[in-house]
Amino acid sequence: MRNIRTLFTFVVIFLPGAFSLFARDVQIIIEDIELNLPLEGAMIRSWDGRQYICDENGKALISVPDERQVVIQAAYPGYENGRLVIVPGTGEYILGLRLSGIMEGRELVIEAARPGTSETRTGRSVAVSGRDIAQTAEIGVIEDVMSSVKLLPGVGYAGFFDAQPSIRGGDPGDMSASLDGFYISNPYHWDGGFSIFDPRMVQSAQLSHGVFSSRYGHTISGLLDISAKKPSPTEIEFELGANTSAANFNLSLPLSGKSSASRGGILFMGRITYYDPVIALAQEMSKVIKEIEIINSIRVAPYIRSGTITGNYRFFDNLEFSATGFWGMDGVGVTYENSSYTSILSSSSNADFDWTHYQGFITAGLSWNPRNDMLLKFSTGTGYEDSVVNGEMLSQINNKHFSDFFMTNYYDKYLYLLDDSVFINPYQYSTTSLIRQSDFLYNAQARVDYDWELGNGFLFAAGIQEMFTLYNITGIQQMNRERRLRALNENEQNNIFSQLGIDEDAILVRNFLKENLFVNFPAKYEPDLGNKLFTTSGYILAEYHTPDNRLKTELGLRVDHLYLAGDGFTLQSKPALNPRLNLDYNIFKNRWIFQSLDISAGTGLFSSVNDNIASAEKNYNLTEAKPNRSWTSVFGARLEFPEGLSFNIEAYYKYIFDRTYVPVTFNLEELDIRPRFDGEGRVWGIDILLQKLQSRYWDGWLSYSFSWAQYRDPSGILDGMGLSGGNRGDDWYFPSYHRFHNLNLVLNVKPVPRINIYTRFGLASGVQISRRIGNSPISYPVYVSEGGTGYFIEKYYWPSQRDENNRTTPSFLLDIKFSLLGKNNDTKKTRSELYVAVENVLALLYTSQGNTSFNQYTGQVDTGSMSASYDIPIPIPSFGFKYSY
């Protein structure tokens, strides 16, 4: 009986895979017959039911039987569909498609229905193809995939030099990112200014911000999944690009094995910036545009150096290996000097700042089909990040005399009773801010995924992932802080009263000082930690679809757990159970002028680990840790029209609980840091996407998002600093990044085949700011405590109150890009593109306005159009060129 069971196992599991070994690879190229341009994203449905997506060159490598001819189907949005006969002995086919419905190729047959090709799934995710990325991300002084992502519905406007937008009202830091399945802890250059994802290294990008599959997690906001470009297994390919401040190159080399099924490739990619000419130009412009004079302080021009290697190799038809490696560094050096002289006050500031950041990772994956209905994936990876920052700023204030307001309202009332030694007239006030810090992070990941098609529309899947992260943070941060005297504890208040020589019996003087006096004192933070964080995740799910695919469902359960081991303490969470359910239903197809109408509904729980947990220390006195949690529900509908036109609308509600926030209180003697895990959030909104897929003369999309997001920190403070919140009291509030409305119009116009005119218009409502009381700043007394002694200085503040309805004026954005596409030669293997672009075209006419700035030592209100600006005040020109073979 044992031998029979062994034989049965061999036949069922291994024999079906063996038959597929007698196969060969055929390269299919799908292109526009009129333009000779590759149709990236075109889908090929193979003879055995498998689906292949064409790369940026319109190419896909498919496996076909070696001894007989088969028929494949091809489809692309906006084009007619058709079939192609593959005969033995031919290794490459070119299939040309026409928008008019006429197709050219080998034995083509027109198909009526167009199989779905988009990665965008209503209620789950929205995707950007490589071609869309080329138009919307290859622009600006630093080309960045996030430029494309920020144009999608559900993504809040974050400004030009910020690659961390809010996703559907969530905290910007909660968006997680992965490259080919490897989670990247910090996918940014320049501390979040730009992402590490160079458009020329990206095949496609998918933002999952709905109720997405239980296979994925580590976020309560959104997951950005980047697919790296894949090398060609048959040809040598080369691409060279240069733009305003960076140069890029790609080199793809094929790898062939002994059998027809064994082949792969390796792709080298690199980017290097040369920002010095840009900085030099800006410094010249600062002679005319005074608002950007700060550009002259840059000593070492910002730089980025990065390289990526990706490769894959298919040993057999059912076994494939892939790997990706990335290394990058970025930095900047600044020397800032500024001085100001008035009849009342003279001031000077000197600052030196240097930032250097390194990061790298390597990943590997193995995909195996033990049977035709099974898929087993093994993936692993490791990476590191090292940031070194050194900065020091010295400020000196010389005030010739106290103002009349100060003398009348403070000195003449009670301050005259104090010792004259605390009043130095004129006085000199000096502060030194310092940061010397090194942050090192090492991480390792391993994951196993198993899919089994059970038949009759059922699929079972399960997986497990382990993530290990080591945090080493050392250094010192020093700065001067101010707090109201009444906010200090009783011992600290008595210490100040003792310095001022005020007896306990002087009740009136003490009460006056408690209400009016601010205390200025040096604060110091010296992190020294080496924490180890273990995050364990597992999932199980089932999918079902009816034979006609009208109804699709997915029910899954994901479990996440964290364990933190620090110096002298350990923390762990209870397992976070995250069940998720999705339903998709097709109401009709090909009725009237509509191709299809689909609705989708989903609900589920999500969890993520806040970075502040990983950097906890023993003196925080924590007894447990909790991941951020959210319960999200989405309902959506998608209506498809002919000619690649679609309309998608989604409504969502998200309740956030167990959210981590960290109130930070600066005391005279120590820093009080107390992480809390009881934060709440209520978010709801509507996302709309009207999209026209690729066509001959025009394409693009119109996206609109409305978001209502409020948070509450039950243990929040009002006097201090907060991390991830914590300093807005215990009432509900709109976070600083929240905007009610975000609209983006993306339009590509192609008057002739070789010209593309890209235009982006954006509109974003303002962010919340405090409402000021009165017409001008008011003087207040500050006691500078220097150990056992001190002295008084005068500063100014503008009384204000929190008003959730008071916001900056809207932001209007206009970007224009003109591209000239080079004509292919007879071999159809070379392509080129030259573009010129201008971002922020409307800046010279309008910038978003907020509260006017003022001098905190003189009370003088700044004037000029830029004194209250919240946007970049100038247009940003750029140009670029790329050539590929």
Side-chain angles (χ1 to χ4, degrees):
M1 180 65 70
R2 181 177 180 182
N3 292 334
I4 294 176
R5 186 181 300 114
T6 302
L7 178 62
F8 177 82
T9 302
F10 176 82
V11 172
V12 170
I13 296 180
F14 294 102
L15 196 56
F19 280 112
S20 64
L21 296 181
F22 296 98
R24 62 189 177 92
D25 288 331
V26 174
Q27 181 168 269
I28 308 297
I29 302 175
I30 308 297
E31 64 179 27
D32 186 308
I33 190 61
E34 296 180 353
L35 305 180
N36 292 330
L37 293 178
L39 297 180
E40 177 186 3
M43 191 200 71
I44 299 174
R45 189 187 297 274
S46 186
W47 63 280
D48 57 358
R50 296 187 183 184
Q51 295 184 359
Y52 300 84
I53 304 298
C54 295
D55 61 16
E56 73 278 5
N57 298 311
K59 298 178 181 179
L61 193 69
I62 68 173
S63 179
V64 298
D66 198 24
E67 74 288 347
R68 62 187 175 91
Q69 72 177 26
V70 295
V71 179
I72 65 171
Q73 301 180 29
Y76 191 77
Y79 291 76
E80 299 288 350
N81 307 321
R83 291 177 177 177
L84 175 64
V85 176
I86 307 297
V87 298
T90 304
E92 180 178 292
Y93 293 82
I94 298 177
L95 181 59
L97 306 181
R98 291 186 188 274
L99 289 172
S100 62
I102 301 175
M103 305 176 63
E104 294 184 2
R106 295 177 180 262
E107 300 187 27
L108 304 180
V109 181
I110 300 300
E111 295 288 325
R114 176 177 58 84
T117 60
S118 175
E119 296 175 276
T120 297
R121 300 189 65 186
T122 303
R124 296 170 178 80
S125 60
V126 59
V128 188
S129 69
R131 176 172 289 190
D132 288 331
I133 289 174
Q135 292 298 336
T136 59
E138 293 180 7
I139 184 175
V141 291
I142 295 294
E143 298 178 351
D144 185 3
V145 166
M146 287 305 298
S147 298
S148 300
V149 174
K150 290 191 287 186
L151 302 178
L152 299 177
V155 181
Y157 172 66
F160 281 92
F161 299 104
D162 190 346
Q164 302 182 76
S166 170
I167 308 298
R168 285 189 168 174
D171 188 291
D174 189 72
M175 185 189 76
S176 61
S178 67
L179 179 65
D180 292 335
F182 180 82
Y183 286 90
I184 306 174
S185 59
N186 182 27
Y188 302 106
H189 290 302
W190 297 339
D191 200 28
F194 298 93
S195 79
I196 65 173
F197 303 125
D198 179 359
R200 291 180 174 85
M201 67 174 279
V202 174
Q203 178 77 26
S204 63
Q206 177 175 287
L207 177 63
S208 300
H209 52 22
V211 182
F212 50 87
S213 174
S214 300
R215 305 170 191 266
Y216 312 107
H218 304 294
T219 179
I220 64 172
S221 177
L223 170 64
L224 179 62
D225 186 22
I226 301 294
S227 297
K229 284 186 177 180
K230 301 300 185 291
S232 171
T234 59
E235 297 180 348
I236 297 177
E237 296 180 339
F238 176 75
E239 180 177 300
L240 179 65
N243 57 46
T244 309
S245 58
N248 314 69
F249 82 92
N250 291 7
L251 176 62
S252 175
L253 302 174
L255 300 175
S256 299
K258 295 182 179 180
S259 68
S260 60
S262 300
R263 64 174 57 190
I266 185 169
L267 175 61
F268 301 89
M269 295 170 280
R271 173 166 68 171
I272 182 172
T273 61
Y274 39 82
Y275 226 96
D276 301 81
V278 178
I279 296 301
L281 176 61
Q283 290 174 342
E284 287 297 319
M285 294 175 60
S286 69
K287 298 177 181 178
V288 180
I289 306 175
K290 299 300 181 182
E291 289 80 8
I292 63 172
E293 285 184 337
I294 194 172
I295 198 72
N296 295 300
S297 63
I298 295 180
R299 170 171 38 84
V300 177
Y303 60 88
I304 294 174
R305 312 282 189 267
S306 65
T308 305
I309 302 177
T310 183
N312 66 309
Y313 192 83
R314 188 167 64 193
F315 299 95
F316 307 103
D317 183 64
N318 63 343
L319 183 62
E320 183 176 1
F321 173 80
S322 61
T324 299
F326 172 86
W327 182 86
M329 67 175 297
D330 57 88
V332 66
V334 175
T335 297
Y336 176 77
E337 296 182 1
N338 183 50
S339 59
S340 174
Y341 300 93
T342 68
S343 59
I344 302 175
L345 176 143
S346 62
S347 63
S348 62
S349 298
N350 296 277
D352 275 293
F353 178 85
D354 288 282
W355 158 274
T356 307
H357 176 238
Y358 304 90
Q359 62 177 315
F361 56 83
I362 183 171
T363 70
L366 189 67
S367 298
W368 178 43
N369 294 99
R371 299 185 348 190
N372 285 343
D373 57 358
M374 290 184 181
L375 174 63
L376 193 59
K377 290 184 178 181
F378 304 91
S379 58
T380 185
T382 183
Y384 84 102
E385 179 184 349
D386 189 10
S387 301
V388 179
V389 56
N390 290 290
E392 184 175 1
M393 185 173 73
L394 174 64
S395 298
Q396 185 171 298
I397 308 296
N398 296 283
N399 200 330
K400 297 182 178 180
H401 60 80
F402 293 100
S403 69
D404 293 338
F405 181 92
F406 182 93
M407 300 301 293
T408 302
N409 291 275
Y410 302 115
Y411 186 85
D412 292 344
K413 286 187 176 180
Y414 288 101
L415 299 186
Y416 74 93
L417 298 174
L418 306 179
D419 191 289
D420 289 340
S421 63
V422 298
F423 291 100
I424 307 172
N425 198 5
Y427 65 81
Q428 179 176 300
Y429 166 60
S430 300
T431 62
T432 300
S433 299
L434 178 70
I435 180 170
R436 301 273 190 269
Q437 187 164 314
S438 174
D439 295 4
F440 179 82
L441 180 150
Y442 168 79
N443 74 87
Q445 306 174 26
R447 176 170 180 155
V448 180
D449 296 273
Y450 172 72
D451 285 30
W452 182 14
E453 292 186 3
L454 303 175
N456 298 321
F458 287 94
L459 181 142
F460 169 80
I464 188 171
Q465 181 183 43
E466 181 67 32
M467 299 175 63
F468 166 75
T469 309
L470 170 66
Y471 294 84
N472 279 327
I473 304 176
T474 58
I476 179 174
Q477 299 180 30
Q478 180 178 306
M479 69 204 79
N480 275 57
R481 302 293 300 184
E482 281 185 16
R483 295 191 67 193
R484 279 188 181 272
L485 180 59
R486 69 186 181 196
L488 302 178
N489 60 46
E490 185 175 356
N491 290 333
E492 292 174 331
Q493 290 181 15
N494 290 331
N495 182 14
I496 297 300
F497 290 142
S498 176
Q499 292 184 34
L500 296 174
I502 302 174
D503 298 331
E504 294 182 0
D505 298 334
I507 304 299
L508 292 177
V509 178
R510 286 182 170 233
N511 289 339
F512 177 82
L513 293 177
K514 286 181 181 180
E515 289 298 317
N516 295 280
L517 183 62
F518 285 74
V519 179
N520 181 294
F521 56 92
K524 184 183 296 184
Y525 173 55
E526 298 179 278
D528 185 11
L529 59 91
N531 293 345
K532 302 177 181 66
L533 177 66
F534 298 85
T535 305
T536 305
S537 304
Y539 71 88
I540 184 172
L541 64 86
E543 296 181 8
Y544 171 75
H545 65 83
T546 57
D548 58 0
N549 282 326
R550 291 195 68 180
L551 175 64
K552 299 178 182 179
T553 65
E554 179 183 316
L555 176 63
L557 174 65
R558 183 180 179 88
V559 181
D560 295 316
H561 176 266
L562 71 89
Y563 176 82
L564 180 68
D567 185 10
F569 74 99
T570 59
L571 295 171
Q572 66 174 321
S573 68
K574 297 177 181 179
L577 303 180
N578 298 316
R580 300 173 196 170
L581 172 65
N582 276 294
L583 300 171
D584 299 284
Y585 183 72
N586 172 253
I587 297 179
F588 62 76
K589 288 185 177 180
N590 300 317
R591 184 175 299 180
W592 305 299
I593 63 170
F594 309 111
Q595 286 193 340
S596 66
L597 174 60
D598 298 88
I599 59 174
S600 174
T603 186
L605 293 174
F606 298 80
S607 62
S608 67
V609 179
N610 189 288
D611 290 340
N612 295 302
I613 296 179
S615 57
E617 299 184 54
K618 183 178 181 180
N619 58 7
Y620 291 1
N621 297 319
L622 298 176
T623 58
E624 67 170 342
K626 293 183 179 180
N628 297 329
R629 304 293 304 280
S630 75
W631 171 48
T632 302
S633 297
V634 179
F635 177 80
R638 180 180 179 85
L639 187 61
E640 293 192 2
F641 303 86
E643 303 297 331
L645 184 66
S646 64
F647 175 78
N648 193 87
I649 182 170
E650 298 179 19
Y652 62 91
Y653 174 79
K654 181 161 50 178
Y655 174 66
I656 300 170
F657 58 99
D658 292 346
R659 183 177 59 84
T660 303
Y661 61 95
V662 187
V664 180
T665 303
F666 293 90
N667 298 317
L668 293 180
E669 297 179 355
E670 62 180 358
L671 200 62
D672 186 17
I673 303 176
R674 291 288 180 266
R676 298 288 188 267
F677 306 104
D678 56 357
E680 295 180 89
R682 301 177 300 195
V683 184
W684 67 273
I686 297 175
D687 292 337
I688 297 175
L689 177 63
L690 178 63
Q691 187 173 22
K692 178 70 167 67
L693 296 177
Q694 300 286 344
S695 67
R696 166 63 183 83
Y697 291 102
W698 70 278
D699 57 69
W701 68 83
L702 174 67
S703 67
Y704 168 75
S705 299
F706 172 84
S707 173
W708 190 94
Q710 280 197 330
Y711 291 81
R712 189 173 79 91
D713 308 324
S715 302
I717 59 177
L718 288 173
D719 182 28
M721 187 178 74
L723 304 175
S724 300
N727 62 338
R728 302 288 293 272
D730 60 356
D731 198 4
W732 290 95
Y733 64 90
F734 290 104
S736 60
Y737 47 80
H738 172 257
R739 298 176 186 268
F740 283 111
H741 307 278
N742 286 275
L743 181 144
N744 285 290
L745 173 62
V746 176
L747 186 63
N748 289 296
V749 177
K750 292 164 275 190
V752 296
R754 304 301 172 187
I755 293 179
N756 188 93
I757 303 173
Y758 161 75
T759 304
R760 175 261 178 136
F761 173 77
L763 169 63
S765 59
V767 295
Q768 191 271 333
I769 55 176
S770 60
R771 184 178 296 279
R772 288 177 172 172
I773 302 173
N775 298 320
S776 61
I778 298 176
S779 165
Y780 68 97
V782 178
Y783 178 70
V784 181
S785 177
E786 298 181 337
T789 62
Y791 58 93
F792 274 86
I793 65 173
E794 180 183 13
K795 294 183 70 175
Y796 288 80
Y797 78 102
W798 205 317
S800 60
Q801 61 184 14
R802 191 173 74 188
D803 185 346
E804 302 297 348
N805 296 317
N806 191 44
R807 293 178 173 260
T808 61
T809 59
S811 296
F812 295 92
L813 299 311
L814 180 61
D815 305 334
I816 300 175
K817 174 183 174 182
F818 180 88
S819 299
L820 179 62
L821 307 177
K823 187 175 182 179
N824 296 348
N825 60 17
D826 294 337
T827 64
K828 300 183 179 180
K829 292 185 177 181
T830 63
R831 297 194 311 275
S832 62
E833 177 184 350
L834 175 67
Y835 80 81
V836 292
V838 180
E839 295 178 289
N840 203 25
V841 175
L842 301 177
L844 295 179
L845 302 176
Y846 172 86
T847 57
S848 175
Q849 302 291 302
N851 286 332
T852 308
S853 58
F854 65 94
N855 190 308
Q856 61 178 325
Y857 294 103
T858 64
Q860 182 178 356
V861 178
D862 296 336
T863 60
S865 61
M866 295 299 107
S867 63
S869 174
Y870 277 63
D871 282 334
I872 300 297
I874 60 173
I876 304 176
S878 61
F879 64 88
F881 172 81
K882 65 179 179 181
Y883 173 86
S884 61
Y885 170 82

